Amino acid sequence: MCGISGVVQFDDEPVSHDCLAAMIDCVRHRGPDAIGYLSDGPAAFAHARLSIIDVSGGLQPMSNEDGSLWVTFNGEIFNYVELRRELIAAGYRFRTQSDTEVILHMYAHLGEQCVERFNGEWAFAIWDKRARQLFLSRDRFGIRPLFYTRTPHGFAFASEIKSLLALPEVGRDVDLETLDQVFTFWSGLPGRTMFRGIQELQPGHSLTLRDRKIEVQRYWTLDYSSVNHGMREDACAEAMLELLQDATRIRLRSDVPVGMYLSGGLDSSLITALTLRHSHHRPRTFSVNFDDAQFDESAHQMTVVRFLGTEHESVRCSYQDICNVFPEVIRHTETPILRTAPAPFYLLSQMVHRNGYKVVLTGEGADEFMGGYDIFKEAKIRRFWSANPASRLRPLLLRRLYPHMQRLQSQPDAYRAAFFHIDAQELSDEFFSHLPRWNLTSKLKAFFSADVQSAIGGADGRLELRQRLPESYRSWDIFAQSQFLEASALLPGYLLSSQGDRMAMANAVEGRFPFLDHRLVEFTTRMPAHLKMKVLNEKYILKRVARLILPPSIIKRSKQPYRAPDTHSFIDVTTGKARAAYVDELLDPGAIRRFGLFDAAAVGKLVEKARKGLIVGIKDDMAFVGILSTQLLMDQFTQKGERYAAN
């Protein structure tokens, strides 16, 4: 895993080494083991390496034998062993044992279609000297980031936005439409960033720069058009176990030790158990615990540790810990966030790094593709309830939906019925499953300043998303539609980015995701919905797979979504005081007016409410975190300084 950056000059002038060095220096945290450069006339690459495969021989940028192709690569190609054999049989010769060299030869062998053969997580750039062409590619799910921009004299790309902002010709103007989308979908839609003129290569896409023209091509997409409604339960469980075992096996390929994140839930526990089948040593697991009992899962984690016999270590997270690292978290997310959940992951990867580990396996992806989220249950209940909205019994189902949300449980049934109300228009909306979440989050935009609301005007993120839907989307069943929305918006933009890659790589830790093996995901798209969620039993078939591997208490426990304390992490409600100076400074009316994104009076009322301990709802929590994180982003990136970022 690494940090990459590069520039292509349109006027054929050589790229300044100082500019290239400044770009790669911004992402040294991603690759502290080595720095490498390529300068070839108008093209230049830089690479910060985290050595995992072929530690001594995989230095980058790397060329093929005759120097006609050069690559800078961030990620892993997990099936590189099998592809290497194919290439040797086809006459290619290798100088290293790295997966990087496999990319070069596969590109020479198949051209731009080579990415369709890769099983992995990647962001890479290839410079073809003969064709004077740049080729960029990003993995199917957007696990590894890749950003790009046009400059007055050329084109630049990098693993993180801060590398592009290191170029003096790249502007720092905030994209208000993206801000509007963050305060609707929790992140900008794929491809968007918070900075005008800087784009992110979308998941499952490649880009070619030739003769100053940019061409972006999609090479893979989620497709739920081929559901096998006759799929038998036993056969499905057997096939899933086989695919998951192989996905885990190839993700253990590494020349350095591999650990596991263990939350105490089904997904990470199952991956840890499967790792035991392919590991020759006692697995090492890492967890985060919370001082606040409503977020803590340490008891479940220890159940798995004792059952599987792992060597375990955890980091304990307090309100103050979250507050202390939050500026650094935003420096790495490069976007506002509405929840503090990434902060404990930052602390977790920090602990993993201190223990000498560079690689961890995690359980992300199972909920999206196997029906694990409450939002899928909620959609089923709301649709069922809509057939008899006057019923006094059906609203009681909502008590079963969110047992972990104490505030919602304490509300009267009439409150829940009003909150999850349904009208005829919503029933026919292709976004039916996600409307309650988006409608709630959109209320936060009431805090936008009048200037921002005027500038955004008629911008409609939902319209943009609707235009991106696959042609066959409306023919899919409701469950498939809701899975697609979750996997194509929240997964790459928030879970794999702000909460995933950015928090791990901030501490030079690579995350690997067996559930995001594209073979397994494509298999799940062919599964009928009732095998994913049987009535309200989420991840039904995955629980079948886990029966002989995990203790019953882990399989049967109610799902507890990963969450972290929000407003309480910044305001001590017993004293009414902020836990750090930056909270007061950035939420001060003067600072709010200086950046101009929020209404100072409205923010002042929210802060006062927090000081009095009166914030009791999700909306206010998200508003507080969203406003504070946006203010941090503005302070760190638009004023050319990182005054509040940790050293």
Side-chain angles (χ1 to χ4, degrees), residues 347-635:
L347 294 167
L348 180 59
S349 67
Q350 197 175 60
M351 178 187 69
V352 170
H353 180 78
R354 284 198 304 266
N355 277 271
Y357 276 71
K358 297 180 179 181
V359 183
V360 291
L361 267 59
T362 85
E364 273 81 5
D367 287 313
E368 287 78 7
F369 297 109
M370 297 183 196
Y373 283 131
D374 287 336
I375 200 169
F376 304 143
K377 286 185 186 179
E378 180 187 301
K380 291 185 75 170
I381 290 174
R382 289 171 62 234
R383 190 166 288 277
F384 173 70
W385 182 18
S386 68
N388 187 4
S391 169
R392 294 183 177 181
L393 296 177
R394 294 191 179 191
L396 297 178
L397 287 169
L398 295 171
R399 286 186 181 274
R400 292 183 55 191
L401 185 58
Y402 298 115
H404 55 279
M405 294 177 64
Q406 298 173 5
R407 294 171 184 169
L408 188 61
Q409 289 296 311
S410 64
Q411 299 293 334
D413 291 337
Y415 171 88
R416 285 189 293 275
F419 186 85
F420 294 106
H421 76 281
I422 308 133
D423 58 36
Q425 186 175 354
E426 285 181 337
L427 280 171
S428 60
D429 196 304
E430 60 259 77
F431 298 147
F432 173 79
S433 59
H434 283 61
L435 289 178
R437 177 197 288 172
W438 295 347
N439 290 340
L440 173 65
T441 309
S442 293
K443 291 178 181 178
L444 310 184
K445 288 184 279 190
F447 287 94
F448 285 170
S449 68
D451 287 344
V452 168
Q453 298 201 33
S454 175
I456 292 171
D460 188 349
R462 299 186 199 191
L463 177 60
E464 183 178 331
L465 179 57
R466 188 171 280 113
Q467 293 169 343
R468 296 181 180 208
L469 296 175
E471 290 183 9
S472 58
Y473 176 87
R474 289 166 183 82
S475 68
W476 302 344
D477 64 51
I478 301 299
F479 200 86
Q481 289 181 354
S482 59
Q483 285 189 287
F484 178 87
L485 293 175
E486 197 72 1
S488 60
L490 189 72
L491 180 65
Y494 176 73
L495 294 175
L496 294 178
S497 178
S498 294
Q499 195 168 290
D501 172 271
R502 299 312 188 84
M503 295 303 100
M505 290 302 290
N507 293 293
V509 174
E510 171 185 296
R512 296 181 176 183
F513 312 94
F515 284 110
L516 292 181
D517 186 300
H518 72 279
R519 301 168 300 170
L520 179 59
V521 169
E522 289 167 357
F523 176 76
T524 66
T525 64
R526 298 190 295 273
M527 288 171 52
H530 72 271
L531 293 183
K532 300 173 187 177
M533 182 176 287
K534 200 161 192 175
V535 189
L536 295 181
N537 186 3
E538 77 276 0
K539 289 186 288 197
Y540 174 76
I541 203 68
L542 196 61
K543 292 175 180 177
R544 280 284 309 268
V545 170
R547 281 181 186 175
L548 301 177
I549 303 174
L550 293 174
S553 61
I554 295 299
I555 298 171
K556 294 178 181 179
R557 64 169 290 209
S558 297
K559 179 175 175 56
Q560 179 175 333
Y562 166 71
R563 299 179 301 136
D566 290 314
T567 307
H568 285 191
S569 297
F570 305 103
I571 301 292
D572 184 342
V573 296
T574 61
T575 64
K577 294 181 179 179
R579 297 185 187 274
Y582 76 84
V583 178
D584 281 336
E585 292 177 23
L586 289 177
L587 297 182
D588 178 80
I592 297 294
R593 284 191 287 268
R594 183 169 71 252
F595 292 129
L597 297 180
F598 301 102
D599 180 88
V603 172
K605 291 177 182 177
L606 180 68
V607 172
E608 188 61 25
K609 194 174 181 181
R611 293 189 192 282
K612 293 179 178 178
L614 298 178
I615 287 184
V616 295
I618 298 171
K619 180 171 71 70
D620 283 349
D621 262 335
M622 289 195 297
F624 192 99
V625 176
I627 293 166
L628 180 60
S629 63
T630 305
Q631 289 288 102
L632 275 166
L633 186 80
M634 295 293 290
D635 185 79

Side-chain angles (χ1 to χ4, degrees), residues 8-299:
V8 175
Q9 296 279 63
F10 292 158
D11 55 12
D12 286 344
E13 288 293 320
V15 178
S16 161
H17 179 79
D18 289 344
C19 282
L20 204 61
M23 290 177 75
I24 204 64
D25 189 58
C26 291
V27 289
R28 281 299 303 268
H29 52 274
R30 298 184 69 91
D33 295 337
I35 293 289
Y37 297 96
L38 159 73
S39 184
D40 180 59
F45 289 171
H47 190 270
R49 188 181 187 212
L50 182 65
S51 307
I52 292 172
I53 299 289
D54 193 3
V55 173
S56 60
L59 296 176
Q60 296 185 49
M62 181 183 290
S63 72
N64 61 351
E65 288 180 290
D66 63 8
S68 61
L69 299 174
W70 284 85
V71 66
T72 183
F73 164 47
N74 167 33
E76 306 289 351
I77 306 300
F78 298 118
N79 63 334
Y80 78 99
V81 175
E82 293 77 12
L83 294 177
R84 192 174 192 272
R85 294 191 196 113
E86 289 184 27
L87 290 164
I88 290 172
Y92 289 88
R93 292 185 295 177
F94 285 79
R95 294 169 294 165
T96 74
Q97 298 296 316
S98 69
D99 54 344
T100 307
E101 195 172 9
V102 167
I103 294 175
L104 280 169
H105 290 326
M106 284 296 291
Y107 182 82
H109 191 53
L110 297 176
E112 297 173 6
Q113 286 69 45
C114 66
V115 296
E116 298 172 17
R117 297 292 313 282
F118 295 155
N119 185 336
E121 49 196 56
W122 69 82
F124 67 75
I126 291 177
W127 173 243
D128 186 331
K129 294 179 63 173
R130 291 172 180 161
R132 294 175 68 81
Q133 170 180 300
L134 180 71
F135 177 69
L136 306 181
S137 183
R138 191 171 180 217
D139 65 72
R140 295 171 179 84
F141 302 102
I143 298 171
R144 299 303 157 205
L146 187 56
F147 300 91
Y148 65 93
T149 188
R150 277 187 178 272
T151 68
H153 305 292
F155 177 91
F157 68 88
S159 292
E160 297 185 11
I161 293 172
K162 55 181 68 70
S163 288
L164 298 178
L165 295 179
L167 298 173
E169 62 268 33
V170 175
R172 295 166 177 254
D173 293 339
V174 171
D175 188 316
L176 295 180
E177 287 191 28
T178 301
L179 179 67
D180 180 72
Q181 291 180 7
V182 170
F183 278 70
T184 302
F185 308 122
W186 290 35
S187 67
L189 291 176
R192 284 187 167 274
T193 77
M194 280 295 296
F195 298 90
R196 197 180 304 159
I198 297 178
Q199 295 174 269
E200 185 174 30
L201 186 61
Q202 292 189 45
H205 283 69
S206 297
L207 179 152
T208 304
L209 177 68
R210 183 191 302 110
D211 297 328
R212 304 189 180 195
K213 295 179 180 178
I214 297 173
E215 296 180 6
V216 178
Q217 312 88 25
R218 180 191 292 275
Y219 66 85
W220 187 88
T221 189
L222 274 173
D223 188 358
Y224 289 87
S225 301
S226 302
V227 175
N228 179 2
H229 293 285
M231 187 178 289
R232 290 174 45 248
E233 189 173 303
D234 290 345
C236 180
E238 185 178 332
M240 177 170 287
L241 177 57
E242 184 176 339
L243 284 166
L244 189 54
Q245 281 192 126
D246 195 60
T248 304
R249 178 185 66 83
I250 63 175
R251 281 163 179 76
L252 290 170
R253 288 173 170 170
S254 170
D255 293 331
V256 298
V258 178
M260 273 71 63
Y261 279 172
L262 182 63
S263 70
L266 176 67
D267 310 331
S268 62
S269 301
L270 184 54
I271 295 301
T272 303
L274 291 175
T275 299
L276 284 167
R277 299 186 173 190
H278 303 288
S279 178
H280 301 296
H281 56 83
R282 188 183 180 193
R284 189 77 183 273
T285 51
F286 302 94
S287 298
V288 61
N289 306 147
F290 293 95
D291 284 350
D292 191 327
Q294 68 173 309
F295 303 102
D296 189 58
E297 297 184 77
S298 56

